[in-house]
Amino acid sequence: GSPVLFVHGGGGSPNDWVPLLPQLVSQQRRLLLVERPGHGLSDPFDYSNHIPDEFAACFLSTVLEALDIKGKVDLVGNSMGGAYSIWFAKANPEQVR
C-alpha cells in the first residue's frame, strides 16, 4: 500500500504512534515516523526565524525526498503535527492521497 507519514504533536515524539503500527504493518504499508526538529533526540531548533506553514511544507517535502518517496502518501498528524500535515497538503496536493 501507499506510505503513511506520521507527524507527532508538540511535546511528543514518533513513539506516540507505536500503538497504531501493528495493524498498519499487517496491511503492508510503509510507515514513516517523523521526528519534528527540536523534539525528541533531534538537536534544539529555533522556530522564530521561520514562517510555520512554509517551514512545515518544506520540512516534510525534504523528508520524503530523502527517503526517495515519489508517489502519494497518507498523512497522520496530531496537534501541531496535524497542522504540519495540513500545511504540507496545501502546498503539495499532488503528493497526498
Side-chain angles (χ1 to χ4, degrees), residues 17-81:
W17 303 110
V18 171
L20 302 176
L21 302 184
Q23 182 177 0
L24 294 170
V25 167
S26 70
Q27 295 174 15
Q28 299 182 341
R29 307 286 299 270
R30 184 171 180 191
L31 308 177
L32 312 167
L33 284 71
V34 174
E35 183 166 88
R36 291 180 30 238
H39 293 80
L41 300 175
S42 67
D43 291 332
F45 187 79
D46 181 6
Y47 285 91
S48 65
N49 297 325
H50 301 279
I51 299 170
D53 56 341
E54 292 174 3
F55 173 79
C58 181
F59 170 69
L60 294 180
S61 290
T62 301
V63 167
L64 294 176
E65 205 172 289
L67 296 172
D68 200 30
I69 308 261
K70 298 188 187 325
K72 294 186 177 205
V73 298
D74 291 325
L75 294 170
V76 180
N78 72 310
S79 188
M80 184 54 85

